[in-house]
Structures are given as structure tokens and as C-alpha cells.
Amino acid sequence: MLKGNLGYPRVGVQRQLKKACEQYWSSKISHDELMKVAINVEEEGWQTQAKAHIDLIPINDFSLYDQVLDMVLLLGAIPHRYKPLMATLRGSKDLDLEAPADSASTDLYFAMARGYQKNGLDITPMEMTKWFDTNYHYIVPEFTASQSFQIFSNHVLRAFSRAKELNLGGATPKPVLIGPLSFLLLGKEKEEGFDRLDLVSKLVPVYIQILMELQKRGAVWVQLDEPYLALDLNAKAKQLFNQVYSEIHSKVPELKILIATYFDGLADNSATALSLPVTALHLDLVRSPQQLDAVLVLIQQAPQTSPARNVILSLGVIDGRNVWKNDYKKSCELLQKAVAVVGKERIVISPSCSLFHVPFDLDFETDIPKETKGWMAFAKQKLLEISDLHDIISGNEEALHENRKAIESRNRSEIVHNPLVKKRVVEIGPGDAVRKSPFSVRQKLQRERFSLPHFPTTTIGSFPQTTDIRQLRAKLRKGELTQEQYEAAIEKATTDVIRWQEELGLDVLVHGEFERNDMVEYFGEALNGFLFTKNGWVTSYGSRCVKPPVIYGDVHRPNDMTVRWSAYAQLQTTKLMKGMLTGPVTILQWSFVRDDQPRSNTALQIALAIRDEVIALESAGLKVIQIDEPAIREGLPLRQRDWEQYLDWAVKAFRIASSGVLDTTQIHTHMCYSEFNDIIEHIASMDADVITIENSRSQMELLQAFAQFKYPNEIGPGVYDIHSPRVPSIDEILELLTRASAILPPENIWVNPDCGLKTRSWEETKASLSNMVEAARRARNFLIKGTGA
Ligand code: GLN
Ligand code: ZN
């Protein structure tokens, strides 16, 4: 029986990698310095796993920006527009498989992630979207019909060799790659007329080359992540799995390949997965414990010659996506069941997925009360749980007793269960989830009340969170500022940004969200049932990390949460001010959620709290209120059969939150960085008066779906990408608005960036918004009055 792991957090215990990347981007440190930090962080992760006696330690799960982008570089799938940057790259020489990373290739890599505006070049970044149903964002590979592949980076090879040299307490370093089919499926066709899956014949030889190079360097195990095996697959994809893995097996038969699936069960792909000629198969038994029975039956029934007869099962019994202590009794039941069929020698005890989705180490959390802390486990603690489970299955049951006590204490605790909250959820009636009048009536009333111009301009809420702003909070925490001084400083920042928006001529203003550290944390802090970590960072995209709150108990709102700042802001201007809230599904989705009741139940509890806040904002004079739901899509189950049920309660939660107001109060919602096409009718049924939605990276593709569906309400398709420092030109924005007006009724179109501006600098923000406002002005003349700019 082995102890395995699929991946480890990579930003550094002190977020060293984040800081180093950001310093490198602003030219404050050299390439060598960046690499030094990166290697330290990477090796520290390996050592931690070695110390915890993990037998199979993942290598190459580390990344400077994103693991999918690493694959793009590794496989040389560099989109054509970056060619100018490749001119300086290793001259015309072939890649030296042993050479250390040079700054030119690192810069090319970062350019693909972040765009490039230097030396007379202006290259847009690659698209980014959410990693399955997580809050991690990956870079979407781009494919063309004539796409070619070649080994283009040696990171995985060098990392493996380093791991090998370090010895790691005798553990086996196991390189991790995204498998060929998932790599293709994660990407997008950038031209019409071909299917990216057809590229597989060109891709697989390169994978085989990489696997051979790894083998040459001493690799015994390799993990190929094929999460798509746990998703709905068409017949062609299923058949390709067989073809591809047979080919790989025939070329590197001695290499032990572990196929990792996660985030859902194999379900109808079980037979396909078990027929693949690989050494081991990883199952996520947290998301789908029921798949184990089906898999075990298939193994027992498999013909003698089938690979299933010998397959090693990596059993993901420890939740890699949540922070709760494992219930050893439950896990052991699953493990024993498998042991009974395949024997101990064919079991690897593992987390359900990469531990990258949880924070590093609970030991840092000195402020979490002992009671709740006793219920939790972060990445490092989860490694120990793997060891404990290994011991228990091996007959040493010492750890079982303590674990039982912790699990029972949580089940019974009074800080978890609040009868009043439970009662209010039960009493929710159908009337609580509908506005007073239908949209057409509300729209008319709101138009009369607001008299906004065509193409009204607005922003999504946050303005740059400069160091100065963040320091105000730090100083308040340390007692270097009094509450009064802090509030005065935030008031000043808010007033300044209001004046600035007025001068610029934006139509619907925002207060800037300077008082908020984070759009979920801020609300969690004001609600009961949440707890916070000091160092519980997880990567959201690139160098950006978030510290998700932990929902441990019934949620309830003891006081107003945002009224103080929104009411203040509205008093500073005669223009419309948007109240700004985070929606129930997003709060749920971006928190570590309790696993002792259905998510839907927790969502409804949060919805009631937000509803009360919306009503309080209305009473305080806010006429426009935005309820952000950027995470609504990522909560969508990965398997289509589960969609309806999720969408039912998710939409209901939003409607409960938003339906307590008058017809004349305008409800906005905002969504970003997800594929929305397939849930458009549910987005419509949320019935927000206005939706602002990310869209510029996909070049208005999204709007086609909104147009086809005849989306009834008002809509602000994002006109520029805020994840990139690049400033969009007036013409570029006008072009997007022209395209949008061709597909949607122009009188329903709002003009706004893709998302909030908190991560941007003021310089970029001012330049970009000023171009945006000018583009809207020209659009009014040009597209509405038809007079030309
Ligand atoms: N109102 C939030 C902001 O502007 C929305 C952020 C988001 O969608 N992720 O920052
Ligand atoms: Zn957004």
C-alpha cells in the first residue's frame, strides 16, 4: 500500500512566489532572483511531502503562473501572435534539454499570460477561464488547424532531475503532466473547420518523446491528469482515450503511468478508464464515493487479459478541495472495501485531487479558536492524514480514536447550529423569490426615474487597491490607526474616486470598495457562521491569491454590512451610486463550505442575509444595487445530469437575495471569466435588471448566445480585459460596441470593463476608462444618432 499525492500548493508558505513574480514584472528583481525563489518554493514543497513519508511525490505540479500554460510552453503550442517575441529566443538553435531557463523564454511565457505592450509591440494575452468547478483560472490553449507541437521547454525534465538528486527521503519523484486528451479538451479552436481532438495524432508523439526523456532520467512513475474522464465525453473522445493510451503504452511500456481523474466520478466512462493499458487509476472518492463500487465490480468482471485485472487504484479519500478533518472511519470503510477486492499491494492512499486547492499549513492559524481548529486540516495536515489512514489500514488504530472525538464534537457543537436560521430557511415561500412586477414594467419605471443616456457607462465596483489603501487596513489591525482615522482615510479615498468618476463623465458611479479586502471575505467578516485564516492563501490565477473564509456554522447577519459606505458615497454625489454586494452563490463558492449539510442549504441561508442587506441599502437611498455572481457558473456540476438541480437552487438563492426591493430600484448582477453560453436561460431567469458580463477576451463571442436566446434584460458586455495591464484604444472599444449593437438591441447595452479594477494601477485605469467613456460618447452619436463620431 502506497501513500500518494497529486499536487501541492505552490505559491510558497509566505507567498514568496507571488511576491517574486510581481517584483520581476515590475523589473525590481532579476530573472536569476526570480528563479531562485521559484526553485526554493518548489523544493520546500517536495521536502514537506518527503517528511510526511509520501511515497509518490508529484513533480512539475509547480508553476510560475499556470500549469496549463506550462503545458502550452512544454508542447510548443505558442500562438502565432507571440512570434515577434520568439525572435530573441535562443536564436535559431534547438532547445537544449539541459539548459537552465533563460529570461527570453520566461518573458514569452509571461507575455502569453499577461499580454505584452513594450518595444513597439502590443500583443493581447491568451484567454483565461475557470479550472473546472474551482475558483482557479487557467490559460486556455489555442489551436489552429495546422497546429504543430514540439518539446519547447525543459522545465519538467530539469525539475525531475533536481528532485532525483535531492533523494527526498527515498520517495519516488513522480512527474505530473496534463494528459494529451485533457490538454486538447481544455483548449479552444482558433479557426473554424477542424476539431482540436484531431490534433491528437500530432500531439501524442511529442508526449511520448517527453515520457522517454523522463524515463531516461530515471522516472519510474508518471502522473497524467485526465480530469475529462470524469466528465461527459462523446464517443469519439472515449475511443481516442483507448487509442492514445495504447500508443503510449506501446512506446514506453515500462513506465508506470497513473491516470488521475478528479472533481467527479468516472460514471459512464468507467469501462473506458479501466480498459486503458496503464498501471494505476486515480479516483476522486470525495466527490463521488459511489463510483468505487462500480469500479470494483468492473475489475472483478474484467477478462483475464484486461489491464483492469492488475490496475492499481489510487483512492482519493481525503478532500483536496476543503479544509475539514478527514473522517477516518468513513475513509477506512472505502479503503477496506477496495482492499478486499484488489489487495493492499494495489492501493495508493491519496487526496481526492491536488492539494493545490487548500492552504499550506493549519499550524500558522494561531487565531482560530481551538474548538473549530480541531475540526480542520490544510495541505500539510492532509499529508499526515494519509499516513494515519495507512497506519489504520495496516492494523495500527491509534489515530482512530482522536479522530472520532473531533468529528463528533463538530456534529454536536452549538456554534454550528442556530435553530432560528434553520427555521427561516424552511419558511421561505414562492413570493420571496419574485420581483413585484415583470422586467418590462420595471424597465419603464427605471428609465423614467433615472433618465440615463444610451450606452450608459459604469464600472464593476472596485478601483485600484493601492499599497496605500491596503496599508490602511494593516495599520488599523496593528493599532497604528484608530477606527476614526481609518474611516476618515477610506472616506477620502472614496470621495476622491467619486469626484474623479464625475469628472470623467461616468453615468453610474461606484464607491470603489476601498474598505474591502476581498469581495467575499468582507461579507464573511460581517456574518455569523464564518471564520477567517491569517495565512490560508490559495491561488486564484497567476500570482493572485485569495484567502477563502471558512463557513462552519449556520449563517446569519447580525448588522448592516455595507450601508455605512454606500450611503456615505451616495451622499457625496447627485449621480447614481451603485450599492455593491456579493451574491449568495459566489460567497458560497469562494468559501470553504461546511460539508455537513447540502450546499443548497448554506446558499439559502446566505441569500436571506443578502436580501436583508439589499433592503437596507434601498432604505438608505441607493437606487441601483449590484449583486455580483461571478461564480455562478463555476458552481455548475461537471456532469450535465446534475445541472438542473444546481441551477434551481442557485437561481433561487439569487432571486431571494434580490427580490425584496421596489420596481424602481435597479438590480444589477455581474459575471465574469466563465463560459456562460450554456446556462443563458438560467442567467435570464435570475431576472436582474442589468447584467454586466466579461466578454472582451472572447471577442464578443458570448453575445451571440445572448442574442440567439433573445436575452430580455439590459446587458453590459465588458469592453476591455482587466486582467492585463494593456490599455485598450478608443477605436478598439468602439469596434466592440459596434459589434455588440449589431447583435443586441442598442438601447439595452451598457458600457463597462470586464470586471473590477482592484488589481490594476491608477495609471492604466485612468487611461482605459477615459478611452471607454469617449468610445461610449462616440457610440451614442454614431450608432444611435447615426451622425458619425
Ligand atoms: N464588484 C467586484 C469588483 O469590482 C466584482 C469582482 C468580480 O467579479 N470578481 O471587484
Ligand atoms: Zn468580475
Side-chain angles (χ1 to χ4, degrees), residues 109-172:
Y109 173 84
F110 284 141
M112 291 192 277
R114 311 176 66 236
Y116 190 90
Q117 237 175 359
K118 248 197 321 213
N119 307 331
L121 293 171
D122 183 357
I123 315 181
T124 52
M126 291 172 76
E127 204 178 313
M128 183 155 69
T129 197
K130 273 161 190 160
W131 179 246
F132 302 96
D133 58 353
T134 74
N135 182 30
Y136 176 70
H137 306 60
Y138 75 94
I139 300 280
V140 182
E142 299 179 10
F143 300 121
T144 56
S146 60
Q147 187 69 50
S148 64
F149 302 99
Q150 83 216 69
I151 302 187
F152 196 84
S153 142
N154 59 11
H155 177 261
V156 61
L157 305 178
R158 287 178 52 86
F160 177 77
S161 299
R162 260 189 296 126
K164 190 103 185 101
E165 245 160 67
L166 284 173
N167 184 35
L168 302 174
T172 305

Side-chain angles (χ1 to χ4, degrees), residues 261-320:
T261 65
Y262 37 79
F263 303 157
D264 211 321
L266 289 172
D268 57 328
N269 301 326
S270 301
T272 304
L274 282 164
S275 69
L276 303 178
V278 294
T279 306
L281 184 62
H282 175 83
L283 308 175
D284 181 338
L285 294 185
V286 172
R287 278 297 170 86
S288 178
Q290 66 277 12
Q291 68 176 321
L292 181 62
D293 285 331
V295 165
L296 292 176
V297 168
L298 282 172
I299 289 179
Q300 281 171 307
Q301 291 173 348
Q304 281 308 329
T305 53
S306 159
R309 279 284 167 171
N310 302 308
V311 74
I312 295 178
L313 293 177
S314 165
L315 300 177
V317 285
I318 286 164
D319 196 344

Side-chain angles (χ1 to χ4, degrees), residues 616-673:
L617 281 173
E618 182 183 59
S619 313
L622 279 296
K623 304 182 183 78
V624 182
I625 299 167
Q626 176 171 313
I627 307 173
D628 291 326
E629 282 292 21
I632 198 132
R633 173 62 165 80
E634 76 191 35
L636 198 63
L638 296 170
R639 295 284 201 158
Q640 212 148 0
R641 52 151 202 255
D642 305 325
W643 282 19
E644 276 313 311
Q645 198 213 357
Y646 162 78
L647 287 164
D648 259 11
W649 62 254
V651 170
K652 181 170 163 202
F654 181 87
R655 294 180 62 128
I656 288 169
S658 59
S659 293
V661 289
L662 300 172
D663 287 339
T664 47
T665 295
Q666 187 170 67
I667 297 286
H668 289 220
T669 189
H670 163 72
M671 291 175 197
C672 51
Y673 300 98

